[in-house]
Coordinates of all heavy atoms in Angstrom, one line a residue:
M45 N -19.0 3.7 -22.0 CA -18.3 3.5 -20.7 C -18.5 2.1 -20.2 O -19.5 1.5 -20.4 CB -18.9 4.6 -19.7 CG -18.6 6.0 -20.1 SD -16.9 6.5 -20.1 CE -16.8 7.5 -18.6
V46 N -17.5 1.7 -19.5 CA -17.5 0.4 -18.9 C -17.4 0.4 -17.4 O -16.6 1.2 -16.8 CB -16.3 -0.4 -19.5 CG1 -16.1 -1.8 -18.8 CG2 -16.5 -0.7 -20.9
K47 N -18.2 -0.4 -16.6 CA -18.1 -0.3 -15.2 C -17.0 -1.3 -14.7 O -17.0 -2.4 -15.1 CB -19.4 -0.7 -14.5 CG -20.5 0.3 -14.8 CD -21.6 0.2 -13.7 CE -22.7 1.3 -13.9 NZ -22.2 2.6 -13.9
I48 N -16.1 -0.7 -13.9 CA -15.0 -1.5 -13.3 C -15.1 -1.2 -11.8 O -15.2 -0.2 -11.3 CB -13.7 -1.1 -13.8 CG1 -13.5 -1.2 -15.4 CG2 -12.5 -1.8 -13.1 CD1 -12.2 -0.8 -16.0
T49 N -15.0 -2.4 -11.1 CA -15.0 -2.3 -9.6 C -13.6 -2.6 -9.2 O -13.1 -3.7 -9.5 CB -16.0 -3.3 -9.0 OG1 -17.3 -3.0 -9.4 CG2 -15.9 -3.1 -7.4
Y50 N -12.9 -1.7 -8.5 CA -11.6 -1.8 -7.9 C -11.9 -2.1 -6.4 O -12.6 -1.4 -5.7 CB -10.8 -0.6 -8.1 CG -10.5 -0.2 -9.5 CD1 -11.5 0.6 -10.2 CD2 -9.4 -0.6 -10.2 CE1 -11.2 1.0 -11.6 CE2 -9.1 -0.2 -11.5 CZ -10.1 0.6 -12.2 OH -9.8 1.0 -13.5
V51 N -11.2 -3.2 -5.9 CA -11.3 -3.6 -4.6 C -9.9 -3.6 -3.9 O -9.0 -4.2 -4.5 CB -11.9 -5.1 -4.5 CG1 -12.2 -5.5 -3.1 CG2 -13.1 -5.2 -5.4
T52 N -9.8 -2.9 -2.8 CA -8.6 -3.0 -2.1 C -8.4 -4.3 -1.4 O -9.3 -5.1 -1.2 CB -8.5 -1.9 -1.0 OG1 -9.4 -2.2 0.1 CG2 -8.9 -0.5 -1.5
H53 N -7.1 -4.5 -0.9 CA -6.9 -5.8 -0.2 C -7.6 -5.9 1.0 O -7.9 -7.0 1.6 CB -5.4 -5.9 0.0 CG -4.9 -5.0 1.1 ND1 -4.6 -3.6 0.9 CD2 -4.6 -5.2 2.5 CE1 -4.3 -3.1 2.0 NE2 -4.3 -4.0 3.0
E54 N -8.2 -4.8 1.5 CA -9.0 -4.8 2.8 C -10.5 -5.0 2.4 O -11.3 -5.0 3.4 CB -8.8 -3.4 3.5 CG -7.4 -3.3 4.0 CD -7.1 -1.8 4.4 OE1 -7.6 -0.9 3.8 OE2 -6.3 -1.7 5.4
G55 N -10.8 -5.0 1.2 CA -12.2 -5.2 0.8 C -13.0 -4.0 0.5 O -14.2 -4.1 0.2
T56 N -12.4 -2.8 0.5 CA -13.1 -1.6 0.2 C -13.3 -1.6 -1.4 O -12.4 -1.7 -2.1 CB -12.4 -0.4 0.6 OG1 -12.2 -0.5 2.0 CG2 -13.2 0.9 0.3
E57 N -14.6 -1.4 -1.8 CA -14.9 -1.3 -3.2 C -15.1 0.0 -3.8 O -15.7 0.9 -3.0 CB -16.1 -2.2 -3.5 CG -15.9 -3.7 -3.1 CD -17.0 -4.6 -3.6 OE1 -17.9 -4.1 -4.3 OE2 -17.1 -5.7 -3.2
K58 N -14.7 0.3 -5.0 CA -15.1 1.5 -5.7 C -15.4 1.2 -7.2 O -14.6 0.7 -7.8 CB -13.9 2.4 -5.6 CG -14.2 3.9 -6.2 CD -13.1 4.9 -5.9 CE -13.6 6.2 -6.4 NZ -12.6 7.3 -6.0
E59 N -16.7 1.4 -7.4 CA -17.1 1.2 -8.9 C -17.0 2.5 -9.6 O -17.6 3.5 -9.2 CB -18.5 0.6 -8.9 CG -19.0 0.3 -10.3 CD -20.4 -0.1 -10.3 OE1 -20.7 -1.3 -10.0 OE2 -21.3 0.7 -10.5
V60 N -16.4 2.5 -10.8 CA -16.3 3.6 -11.6 C -16.6 3.3 -13.1 O -16.5 2.1 -13.5 CB -14.8 4.2 -11.5 CG1 -14.5 4.6 -10.1 CG2 -13.8 3.3 -12.1
D61 N -16.9 4.3 -13.8 CA -17.1 4.2 -15.3 C -15.8 4.6 -16.0 O -15.3 5.7 -15.7 CB -18.3 5.1 -15.7 CG -19.5 4.7 -15.1 OD1 -19.8 3.5 -15.1 OD2 -20.3 5.6 -14.7
V62 N -15.4 3.7 -16.8 CA -14.1 3.9 -17.6 C -14.4 3.9 -19.1 O -15.1 3.0 -19.6 CB -13.0 2.9 -17.1 CG1 -11.7 3.2 -17.9 CG2 -12.8 2.9 -15.6
A63 N -13.8 4.9 -19.8 CA -14.0 4.9 -21.2 C -13.2 3.7 -21.9 O -12.1 3.4 -21.5 CB -13.4 6.2 -21.8
V64 N -13.9 3.1 -22.9 CA -13.2 2.1 -23.7 C -12.0 2.7 -24.4 O -12.0 3.9 -24.8 CB -14.2 1.6 -24.8 CG1 -13.5 0.8 -25.9 CG2 -15.3 0.8 -24.2
G65 N -10.9 1.9 -24.4 CA -9.7 2.5 -25.0 C -8.6 2.8 -24.0 O -7.5 2.8 -24.3
L66 N -9.1 3.3 -22.8 CA -8.1 3.5 -21.7 C -7.7 2.2 -21.2 O -8.2 1.1 -21.5 CB -8.8 4.3 -20.5 CG -9.2 5.7 -20.9 CD1 -9.9 6.4 -19.6 CD2 -8.0 6.6 -21.3
S67 N -6.6 2.2 -20.3 CA -6.2 0.9 -19.7 C -7.0 0.8 -18.3 O -7.5 1.8 -17.8 CB -4.7 0.9 -19.5 OG -4.4 1.8 -18.5
I68 N -6.9 -0.3 -17.7 CA -7.5 -0.5 -16.4 C -6.7 0.4 -15.4 O -7.3 1.0 -14.5 CB -7.5 -2.0 -16.0 CG1 -8.6 -2.7 -16.8 CG2 -7.7 -2.1 -14.5 CD1 -8.8 -4.1 -16.4
M69 N -5.4 0.6 -15.6 CA -4.6 1.5 -14.8 C -5.1 2.9 -14.9 O -5.3 3.6 -14.0 CB -3.1 1.4 -15.2 CG -2.2 2.3 -14.4 SD -2.1 3.9 -15.2 CE -1.0 3.7 -16.5
E70 N -5.3 3.4 -16.2 CA -5.7 4.8 -16.4 C -7.1 5.0 -15.8 O -7.4 6.0 -15.2 CB -5.7 5.1 -17.9 CG -4.3 5.1 -18.4 CD -4.3 5.2 -20.0 OE1 -5.1 4.5 -20.6 OE2 -3.5 6.0 -20.5
G71 N -8.0 3.9 -15.8 CA -9.3 4.0 -15.3 C -9.2 4.3 -13.7 O -10.0 5.0 -13.1
A72 N -8.2 3.7 -13.1 CA -8.0 3.8 -11.6 C -7.5 5.3 -11.4 O -7.9 6.0 -10.5 CB -7.0 2.8 -11.1
I73 N -6.4 5.6 -12.1 CA -5.8 7.0 -11.9 C -6.8 8.1 -12.2 O -6.9 9.0 -11.4 CB -4.5 7.1 -12.8 CG1 -3.5 6.1 -12.5 CG2 -4.0 8.5 -12.7 CD1 -2.9 6.1 -11.1
H74 N -7.5 8.0 -13.2 CA -8.5 9.1 -13.6 C -9.6 9.3 -12.6 O -10.3 10.3 -12.5 CB -9.0 8.9 -14.9 CG -8.1 9.0 -16.1 ND1 -8.4 8.9 -17.4 CD2 -6.7 9.2 -16.0 CE1 -7.4 9.1 -18.1 NE2 -6.3 9.2 -17.3
N75 N -9.9 8.1 -11.8 CA -11.0 8.2 -10.8 C -10.5 8.1 -9.3 O -11.3 7.9 -8.5 CB -11.9 7.0 -11.1 CG -12.7 7.2 -12.4 OD1 -13.6 7.9 -12.4 ND2 -12.2 6.5 -13.5
G76 N -9.2 8.4 -9.1 CA -8.8 8.5 -7.8 C -8.8 7.2 -7.0 O -9.1 7.2 -5.8
V77 N -8.7 6.1 -7.7 CA -8.7 4.8 -7.0 C -7.4 4.5 -6.2 O -6.3 4.7 -6.9 CB -9.0 3.7 -8.0 CG1 -8.8 2.3 -7.4 CG2 -10.3 3.8 -8.7
D78 N -7.5 4.2 -5.0 CA -6.3 3.8 -4.2 C -5.7 2.5 -4.6 O -6.5 1.6 -5.1 CB -6.5 3.9 -2.7 CG -6.9 5.2 -2.2 OD1 -6.4 6.2 -2.8 OD2 -7.6 5.3 -1.2
G79 N -4.4 2.3 -4.4 CA -3.9 1.0 -4.6 C -3.2 0.7 -5.9 O -2.7 -0.4 -6.2
I80 N -3.2 1.7 -6.9 CA -2.5 1.5 -8.1 C -1.7 2.8 -8.2 O -2.1 3.9 -8.4 CB -3.5 1.4 -9.3 CG1 -4.3 0.1 -9.2 CG2 -2.8 1.5 -10.6 CD1 -5.3 -0.2 -10.3
E81 N -0.4 2.5 -8.2 CA 0.6 3.7 -8.2 C 0.9 4.1 -9.6 O 1.1 5.3 -9.8 CB 1.8 3.3 -7.3 CG 1.5 3.0 -5.9 CD 2.7 2.5 -5.2 OE1 3.7 3.3 -4.9 OE2 2.7 1.3 -4.8
A82 N 1.3 3.2 -10.4 CA 1.6 3.4 -11.8 C 2.8 4.4 -11.9 O 2.8 5.4 -12.7 CB 0.4 3.9 -12.6
V83 N 3.9 4.1 -11.3 CA 5.1 4.9 -11.2 C 5.6 5.2 -12.6 O 6.1 6.3 -12.9 CB 6.1 4.3 -10.3 CG1 7.5 5.1 -10.4 CG2 5.6 4.3 -8.9
C84 N 5.6 4.2 -13.5 CA 6.2 4.4 -14.8 C 5.2 4.8 -15.8 O 5.5 4.9 -17.1 CB 6.8 3.1 -15.3 SG 5.7 1.8 -15.9
N85 N 4.0 5.2 -15.4 CA 2.9 5.8 -16.2 C 2.5 4.9 -17.4 O 2.3 5.4 -18.5 CB 3.4 7.2 -16.7 CG 2.3 8.0 -17.2 OD1 1.2 7.8 -16.7 ND2 2.5 8.9 -18.2
G86 N 2.5 3.6 -17.1 CA 2.0 2.7 -18.2 C 3.0 2.1 -19.1 O 2.7 1.5 -20.2
N87 N 4.3 2.2 -18.8 CA 5.3 1.7 -19.7 C 5.8 0.3 -19.4 O 6.8 -0.1 -20.0 CB 6.5 2.7 -19.8 CG 6.1 4.0 -20.4 OD1 5.7 4.0 -21.6 ND2 6.1 5.1 -19.8
C88 N 5.2 -0.4 -18.5 CA 5.4 -1.8 -18.2 C 6.8 -2.0 -17.7 O 7.5 -3.0 -18.0 CB 5.2 -2.6 -19.4 SG 5.0 -4.4 -19.1
Y89 N 7.4 -1.0 -16.9 CA 8.6 -1.4 -16.2 C 8.7 -1.1 -14.7 O 9.7 -1.2 -14.1 CB 9.8 -0.7 -16.9 CG 9.8 0.8 -17.0 CD1 10.2 1.5 -15.9 CD2 9.6 1.5 -18.2 CE1 10.3 2.9 -15.9 CE2 9.6 2.8 -18.2 CZ 9.9 3.5 -17.1 OH 10.0 4.9 -17.2
C90 N 7.6 -0.7 -14.1 CA 7.6 -0.5 -12.7 C 6.9 -1.6 -11.9 O 7.3 -1.9 -10.7 CB 7.0 0.9 -12.3 SG 5.2 0.9 -12.4
G91 N 5.9 -2.2 -12.4 CA 5.1 -3.2 -11.7 C 4.2 -2.7 -10.6 O 3.7 -3.5 -9.8
T92 N 4.0 -1.4 -10.5 CA 3.2 -0.9 -9.4 C 1.8 -0.7 -9.8 O 1.0 0.1 -9.1 CB 3.8 0.5 -8.8 OG1 3.8 1.4 -9.9 CG2 5.2 0.3 -8.4
C93 N 1.3 -1.3 -10.8 CA -0.1 -1.3 -11.2 C -0.7 -2.7 -11.1 O -1.6 -3.0 -11.8 CB -0.2 -0.7 -12.6 SG 0.5 -1.7 -13.8
R94 N 0.0 -3.5 -10.2 CA -0.4 -4.9 -10.2 C -1.9 -5.1 -9.7 O -2.3 -4.4 -8.7 CB 0.5 -5.8 -9.4 CG 0.4 -7.3 -9.7 CD 1.3 -8.1 -8.9 NE 2.6 -7.6 -8.7 CZ 3.5 -8.0 -7.8 NH1 3.3 -9.1 -7.1 NH2 4.7 -7.5 -7.7
I95 N -2.6 -6.0 -10.3 CA -4.0 -6.3 -9.9 C -4.2 -7.8 -9.9 O -3.4 -8.5 -10.6 CB -5.0 -5.6 -10.8 CG1 -4.8 -5.9 -12.2 CG2 -5.1 -4.1 -10.6 CD1 -5.9 -5.5 -13.2
Y96 N -5.2 -8.2 -9.3 CA -5.6 -9.5 -9.3 C -7.0 -9.5 -9.9 O -8.0 -8.9 -9.4 CB -5.7 -10.3 -7.9 CG -4.3 -10.2 -7.3 CD1 -4.0 -9.3 -6.2 CD2 -3.2 -10.9 -7.8 CE1 -2.7 -9.2 -5.7 CE2 -1.9 -10.9 -7.2 CZ -1.7 -10.0 -6.2 OH -0.4 -9.8 -5.7
V97 N -7.2 -10.2 -11.0 CA -8.4 -10.2 -11.8 C -9.4 -11.3 -11.2 O -9.0 -12.4 -11.0 CB -8.1 -10.4 -13.3 CG1 -9.4 -10.5 -14.1 CG2 -7.2 -9.4 -13.8
A98 N -10.6 -10.9 -11.0 CA -11.6 -11.8 -10.5 C -11.8 -13.1 -11.4 O -11.7 -12.9 -12.6 CB -12.9 -11.0 -10.2
Q99 N -12.1 -14.2 -10.7 CA -12.3 -15.4 -11.4 C -13.4 -15.2 -12.5 O -14.4 -14.5 -12.3 CB -12.8 -16.5 -10.5 CG -11.7 -16.9 -9.5 CD -10.5 -17.6 -10.2 OE1 -10.6 -18.1 -11.3 NE2 -9.4 -17.7 -9.5
G100 N -13.2 -15.8 -13.6 CA -14.2 -15.6 -14.7 C -14.0 -14.5 -15.7 O -14.6 -14.5 -16.7
W101 N -12.9 -13.7 -15.4 CA -12.7 -12.6 -16.3 C -11.4 -12.7 -17.1 O -11.2 -12.0 -18.1 CB -12.6 -11.3 -15.5 CG -14.0 -10.8 -15.0 CD1 -14.5 -11.1 -13.8 CD2 -15.0 -10.2 -15.7 NE1 -15.8 -10.6 -13.7 CE2 -16.1 -10.0 -14.9 CE3 -15.1 -9.7 -17.0 CZ2 -17.3 -9.3 -15.3 CZ3 -16.3 -9.0 -17.5 CH2 -17.3 -8.8 -16.6
L102 N -10.5 -13.6 -16.7 CA -9.2 -13.6 -17.3 C -9.3 -13.9 -18.8 O -8.6 -13.3 -19.6 CB -8.4 -14.8 -16.7 CG -7.6 -14.4 -15.5 CD1 -6.9 -15.6 -14.9 CD2 -6.7 -13.2 -15.6
D103 N -10.2 -14.8 -19.3 CA -10.3 -15.1 -20.7 C -10.9 -14.0 -21.5 O -11.0 -14.0 -22.7 CB -11.0 -16.4 -20.9 CG -12.4 -16.3 -20.4 OD1 -12.9 -15.4 -19.8 OD2 -13.3 -17.2 -20.8
K104 N -11.4 -12.9 -20.9 CA -11.9 -11.8 -21.6 C -10.9 -10.7 -21.8 O -11.1 -9.7 -22.5 CB -13.2 -11.2 -20.9 CG -14.3 -12.1 -20.8 CD -15.4 -11.5 -20.0 CE -16.7 -12.3 -20.1 NZ -16.7 -13.6 -19.6
L105 N -9.7 -10.9 -21.2 CA -8.7 -9.8 -21.3 C -7.8 -10.0 -22.5 O -7.6 -11.2 -22.9 CB -7.8 -9.9 -20.0 CG -8.5 -9.8 -18.7 CD1 -7.4 -9.8 -17.6 CD2 -9.3 -8.5 -18.6
T106 N -7.1 -9.0 -22.9 CA -6.1 -9.1 -23.9 C -5.0 -9.9 -23.2 O -4.6 -9.6 -22.1 CB -5.5 -7.7 -24.2 OG1 -6.6 -6.9 -24.8 CG2 -4.4 -7.8 -25.3
P107 N -4.5 -11.0 -23.9 CA -3.4 -11.8 -23.2 C -2.2 -11.0 -23.0 O -1.9 -10.1 -23.6 CB -3.1 -12.9 -24.3 CG -4.4 -12.9 -25.2 CD -4.9 -11.5 -25.2
A108 N -1.5 -11.4 -21.8 CA -0.3 -10.7 -21.4 C 0.8 -11.0 -22.4 O 1.0 -12.1 -22.9 CB 0.1 -11.2 -20.1
A109 N 1.5 -9.9 -22.8 CA 2.7 -10.1 -23.7 C 3.9 -10.5 -22.8 O 3.9 -10.5 -21.6 CB 3.0 -8.8 -24.3
E110 N 4.9 -11.0 -23.5 CA 6.1 -11.5 -22.9 C 6.7 -10.5 -21.9 O 7.2 -10.8 -20.8 CB 7.2 -11.8 -23.9 CG 7.0 -13.1 -24.7 CD 6.9 -14.3 -23.8 OE1 7.8 -14.4 -22.8 OE2 6.1 -15.1 -23.9
E111 N 6.7 -9.2 -22.3 CA 7.2 -8.2 -21.4 C 6.5 -8.1 -20.1 O 7.1 -7.9 -19.0 CB 7.0 -6.8 -22.2 CG 7.6 -5.6 -21.5 CD 7.4 -4.4 -22.4 OE1 6.3 -4.3 -23.1 OE2 8.3 -3.5 -22.4
E112 N 5.1 -8.1 -20.1 CA 4.3 -8.1 -18.9 C 4.6 -9.4 -18.1 O 4.7 -9.3 -16.8 CB 2.9 -8.0 -19.3 CG 1.9 -8.0 -18.1 CD 0.4 -8.0 -18.3 OE1 0.1 -7.9 -19.5 OE2 -0.3 -8.1 -17.4
L113 N 4.6 -10.5 -18.7 CA 4.8 -11.8 -18.0 C 6.2 -11.8 -17.3 O 6.3 -12.2 -16.2 CB 4.7 -13.0 -19.0 CG 3.3 -13.2 -19.6 CD1 3.4 -14.3 -20.6 CD2 2.4 -13.6 -18.5
A114 N 7.2 -11.2 -18.0 CA 8.5 -11.1 -17.4 C 8.5 -10.2 -16.1 O 9.2 -10.5 -15.1 CB 9.5 -10.6 -18.4
M115 N 7.8 -9.1 -16.2 CA 7.7 -8.2 -15.1 C 7.0 -8.9 -13.9 O 7.4 -8.8 -12.7 CB 6.9 -6.9 -15.4 CG 7.6 -5.9 -16.1 SD 8.9 -5.2 -15.1 CE 8.0 -4.6 -13.7
I116 N 5.9 -9.6 -14.2 CA 5.2 -10.3 -13.1 C 6.1 -11.4 -12.4 O 6.2 -11.5 -11.2 CB 3.9 -10.9 -13.6 CG1 3.0 -9.7 -13.9 CG2 3.2 -11.8 -12.6 CD1 1.7 -10.1 -14.7
E117 N 6.8 -12.2 -13.3 CA 7.6 -13.2 -12.8 C 8.8 -12.6 -12.0 O 9.2 -13.1 -10.9 CB 8.2 -14.1 -14.0 CG 9.0 -15.2 -13.5 CD 9.5 -16.1 -14.7 OE1 8.9 -16.0 -15.8 OE2 10.5 -16.8 -14.5
A118 N 9.4 -11.5 -12.5 CA 10.5 -11.0 -11.8 C 10.1 -10.5 -10.3 O 11.0 -10.5 -9.5 CB 11.0 -9.8 -12.6
A119 N 8.9 -10.1 -10.2 CA 8.4 -9.7 -8.9 C 8.1 -10.8 -7.9 O 7.7 -10.7 -6.8 CB 7.1 -8.8 -9.1
G120 N 8.2 -12.1 -8.5 CA 8.0 -13.3 -7.6 C 6.5 -13.6 -7.4 O 6.1 -14.3 -6.5
E121 N 5.7 -13.0 -8.3 CA 4.2 -13.1 -8.2 C 3.9 -14.6 -8.6 O 4.3 -15.0 -9.6 CB 3.5 -12.1 -9.0 CG 2.0 -12.2 -9.0 CD 1.4 -12.1 -7.7 OE1 1.6 -10.9 -7.1 OE2 0.8 -13.0 -7.1
E122 N 3.1 -15.2 -7.8 CA 2.7 -16.6 -8.1 C 1.2 -16.7 -8.4 O 0.7 -17.8 -8.8 CB 3.1 -17.6 -7.0 CG 4.6 -17.6 -6.9 CD 5.1 -18.5 -5.8 OE1 4.2 -19.0 -5.0 OE2 6.3 -18.8 -5.7
D123 N 0.4 -15.7 -8.1 CA -1.0 -15.8 -8.3 C -1.3 -15.8 -9.8 O -0.9 -14.8 -10.5 CB -1.7 -14.6 -7.6 CG -3.2 -14.7 -7.6 OD1 -3.8 -15.1 -8.6 OD2 -3.8 -14.4 -6.6
P124 N -2.0 -16.8 -10.3 CA -2.3 -16.9 -11.7 C -3.2 -15.8 -12.2 O -3.3 -15.5 -13.4 CB -2.8 -18.3 -11.9 CG -3.5 -18.6 -10.6 CD -2.5 -18.0 -9.6
N125 N -3.9 -15.1 -11.4 CA -4.8 -14.0 -11.8 C -4.1 -12.7 -11.7 O -4.7 -11.6 -12.0 CB -6.0 -14.0 -10.8 CG -6.9 -15.2 -11.1 OD1 -6.5 -16.1 -11.7 ND2 -8.1 -15.1 -10.6
A126 N -2.8 -12.6 -11.5 CA -2.1 -11.3 -11.4 C -1.8 -10.8 -12.8 O -1.4 -11.6 -13.7 CB -0.7 -11.5 -10.7
R127 N -2.1 -9.5 -13.0 CA -1.8 -8.8 -14.3 C -1.3 -7.4 -13.9 O -1.4 -7.0 -12.8 CB -3.1 -8.7 -15.2 CG -3.6 -10.0 -15.8 CD -2.7 -10.6 -16.8 NE -2.4 -9.6 -17.9 CZ -3.1 -9.5 -19.0 NH1 -4.2 -10.3 -19.3 NH2 -2.8 -8.6 -20.0
L128 N -0.8 -6.8 -14.9 CA -0.4 -5.4 -14.8 C -1.5 -4.5 -15.4 O -1.8 -4.7 -16.7 CB 1.0 -5.1 -15.5 CG 2.1 -5.7 -14.9 CD1 3.4 -5.4 -15.6 CD2 2.3 -5.5 -13.4
A129 N -2.2 -3.7 -14.7 CA -3.3 -3.0 -15.1 C -3.1 -2.1 -16.3 O -4.0 -1.7 -17.1 CB -3.9 -2.2 -13.9
C130 N -1.8 -1.6 -16.4 CA -1.5 -0.7 -17.5 C -1.5 -1.4 -18.8 O -1.5 -0.8 -19.9 CB -0.2 0.0 -17.3 SG 1.3 -1.0 -17.4
Q131 N -1.4 -2.7 -18.8 CA -1.3 -3.5 -20.1 C -2.7 -4.1 -20.5 O -2.7 -5.0 -21.4 CB -0.3 -4.6 -19.9 CG 1.1 -4.1 -19.5 CD 1.7 -3.2 -20.6 OE1 1.8 -3.6 -21.7 NE2 2.0 -1.9 -20.2
I132 N -3.7 -3.7 -19.8 CA -5.0 -4.3 -20.2 C -5.9 -3.2 -20.7 O -6.4 -2.3 -19.9 CB -5.7 -4.9 -18.9 CG1 -4.8 -5.9 -18.3 CG2 -7.0 -5.5 -19.3 CD1 -5.3 -6.5 -16.9
P133 N -6.2 -3.1 -22.0 CA -7.1 -2.1 -22.6 C -8.5 -2.5 -22.1 O -8.9 -3.6 -22.2 CB -6.8 -2.2 -24.1 CG -6.2 -3.6 -24.3 CD -5.6 -3.9 -23.0
V134 N -9.2 -1.4 -21.8 CA -10.7 -1.5 -21.5 C -11.4 -1.7 -22.8 O -11.4 -0.9 -23.7 CB -11.1 -0.3 -20.7 CG1 -12.7 -0.4 -20.5 CG2 -10.4 -0.2 -19.4
T135 N -12.3 -2.8 -22.8 CA -13.1 -3.1 -23.9 C -14.5 -3.3 -23.4 O -14.7 -3.4 -22.2 CB -12.7 -4.4 -24.7 OG1 -12.9 -5.5 -23.7 CG2 -11.2 -4.3 -25.1
E136 N -15.5 -3.3 -24.3 CA -16.9 -3.4 -23.9 C -17.0 -4.8 -23.2 O -17.9 -4.9 -22.2 CB -17.8 -3.4 -25.1 CG -17.9 -2.1 -25.8 CD -18.6 -1.0 -25.0 OE1 -19.2 -1.4 -24.0 OE2 -18.6 0.1 -25.5
A137 N -16.2 -5.8 -23.5 CA -16.4 -7.1 -22.9 C -16.0 -7.1 -21.4 O -16.3 -8.1 -20.7 CB -15.4 -8.1 -23.7
L138 N -15.4 -6.0 -21.0 CA -14.9 -6.0 -19.6 C -16.0 -5.3 -18.7 O -15.7 -5.1 -17.5 CB -13.6 -5.3 -19.5 CG -12.4 -5.9 -20.2 CD1 -11.1 -5.3 -19.8 CD2 -12.4 -7.5 -19.9
D139 N -17.2 -5.0 -19.2 CA -18.1 -4.3 -18.4 C -18.5 -5.2 -17.2 O -19.0 -6.3 -17.4 CB -19.4 -4.0 -19.3 CG -20.3 -3.0 -18.6 OD1 -19.8 -2.1 -17.9 OD2 -21.5 -3.1 -18.8
G140 N -18.3 -4.6 -16.0 CA -18.6 -5.3 -14.8 C -17.4 -6.0 -14.2 O -17.6 -6.7 -13.1
I141 N -16.3 -5.9 -14.7 CA -15.1 -6.6 -14.2 C -14.7 -6.1 -12.8 O -15.0 -4.9 -12.5 CB -13.9 -6.5 -15.2 CG1 -12.7 -7.4 -14.8 CG2 -13.4 -5.0 -15.2 CD1 -11.6 -7.5 -15.8
R142 N -14.1 -7.0 -12.0 CA -13.7 -6.7 -10.7 C -12.2 -7.0 -10.6 O -11.8 -8.1 -11.1 CB -14.5 -7.5 -9.6 CG -15.9 -7.2 -9.5 CD -16.7 -8.2 -8.7 NE -16.1 -8.2 -7.3 CZ -16.6 -7.4 -6.3 NH1 -17.5 -6.5 -6.6 NH2 -16.0 -7.4 -5.1
V143 N -11.5 -6.1 -10.0 CA -10.1 -6.3 -9.8 C -9.7 -6.0 -8.5 O -10.2 -5.0 -7.9 CB -9.2 -5.6 -10.9 CG1 -9.5 -6.0 -12.3 CG2 -9.4 -4.1 -10.7
T144 N -8.7 -6.6 -7.8 CA -8.3 -6.4 -6.5 C -6.8 -6.0 -6.5 O -6.0 -6.4 -7.3 CB -8.4 -7.6 -5.6 OG1 -9.8 -8.0 -5.6 CG2 -8.0 -7.4 -4.2
T145 N -6.5 -4.9 -5.7 CA -5.1 -4.5 -5.6 C -4.4 -5.1 -4.4 O -5.0 -5.5 -3.5 CB -5.1 -2.9 -5.4 OG1 -5.9 -2.6 -4.3 CG2 -5.7 -2.2 -6.7
P146 N -3.1 -5.3 -4.6 CA -2.4 -6.0 -3.5 C -2.1 -5.1 -2.3 O -2.1 -3.9 -2.4 CB -1.1 -6.4 -4.2 CG -0.9 -5.5 -5.4 CD -2.3 -5.1 -5.7
E147 N -1.8 -5.8 -1.2 CA -1.6 -5.1 0.0 C -0.4 -4.0 0.0 O -0.4 -3.0 0.6 CB -1.4 -6.0 1.2 CG -1.2 -5.4 2.5 CD -1.1 -6.4 3.6 OE1 -1.1 -7.6 3.4 OE2 -1.1 -5.9 4.8
F148 N 0.6 -4.5 -0.8 CA 1.8 -3.6 -0.9 C 1.7 -2.4 -1.7 O 2.6 -1.6 -1.8 CB 3.0 -4.5 -1.3 CG 2.8 -5.2 -2.5 CD1 2.9 -4.6 -3.8 CD2 2.5 -6.6 -2.5 CE1 2.7 -5.3 -5.0 CE2 2.2 -7.3 -3.7 CZ 2.3 -6.7 -4.9
Q149 N 0.6 -2.3 -2.4 CA 0.4 -1.1 -3.2 C -0.7 -0.2 -2.5 O -1.8 -0.7 -2.3 CB -0.1 -1.4 -4.6 CG 0.9 -1.8 -5.5 CD 0.4 -2.4 -6.9 OE1 1.1 -3.1 -7.5 NE2 -0.8 -2.1 -7.2
K150 N -0.3 0.9 -2.1 CA -1.2 1.8 -1.3 C -1.6 3.0 -2.2 O -0.9 3.4 -3.1 CB -0.4 2.3 -0.1 CG 0.0 1.3 0.8 CD -1.1 0.7 1.6 CE -0.5 -0.4 2.6 NZ -1.5 -1.1 3.3
Ligands
FES437 FE1 4.3 0.8 -14.5 FE2 2.1 -0.6 -15.2 S1 2.3 1.5 -14.7 S2 4.1 -1.3 -15.0

C-alpha cells in the first residue's frame, strides 16, 4: 500500500492507503475522497479527475500521454503540475505523494 494525501482547494487533507496498480483517481473514489468526480470512470475523456501534483513529485509519475495532455490543454489549464488522476498508476515510488483538487471539482 502507498500513502497518498489528497488536499482540497480549501486545504482539507485526507491521507489514505492505496494499493499499487490502482490509479490515483481510483484511490480517491475507493476511499470517499471529495473533489474527484471521475465521470468517465477513468477513460480520459471527462477531465473531472484533475489534480495538481505537489512540487517534487512530477518526475516520479508516469509521463502524460498525448491523449491526457490534449484533455488538459482543451480545458484551458495552465498549471504545469496539472494531471488527470485516472492516468497516473500508483507505484511504490509515489508513497507519500500529495495532490490537490481544484475548486471547480466538488
Ligand atoms: Fe475522466 Fe479521468 S476520470 S478523465
Side-chain angles (χ1 to χ4, degrees):
M45 298 293 256
V46 169
K47 290 204 180 304
I48 299 178
T49 300
Y50 297 86
V51 186
T52 70
H53 72 280
E54 296 165 323
T56 303
E57 298 187 8
K58 184 169 187 175
E59 182 184 275
V60 300
D61 293 319
V62 180
V64 169
L66 294 179
S67 69
I68 289 183
M69 175 276 280
E70 289 170 320
I73 299 299
H74 293 184
N75 288 285
V77 173
D78 292 332
I80 293 183
E81 298 173 70
V83 172
C84 78
N85 200 29
N87 289 301
C88 199
Y89 64 74
C90 74
T92 63
C93 64
R94 201 181 316 173
I95 54 170
Y96 303 106
V97 178
Q99 292 296 342
W101 288 96
L102 276 179
D103 62 347
K104 295 181 172 60
L105 306 181
T106 303
E110 285 298 319
E111 185 180 35
E112 180 185 352
L113 292 173
M115 277 296 302
I116 291 171
E117 185 178 337
E121 179 61 64
E122 295 181 352
D123 189 317
N125 289 15
R127 291 288 308 264
L128 296 180
C130 71
Q131 300 301 301
I132 305 173
V134 173
T135 65
E136 295 287 354
L138 301 188
D139 193 31
I141 192 171
R142 294 170 62 86
V143 300
T144 302
T145 54
E147 182 173 6
F148 52 81
Q149 281 172 200
K150 302 283 183 183

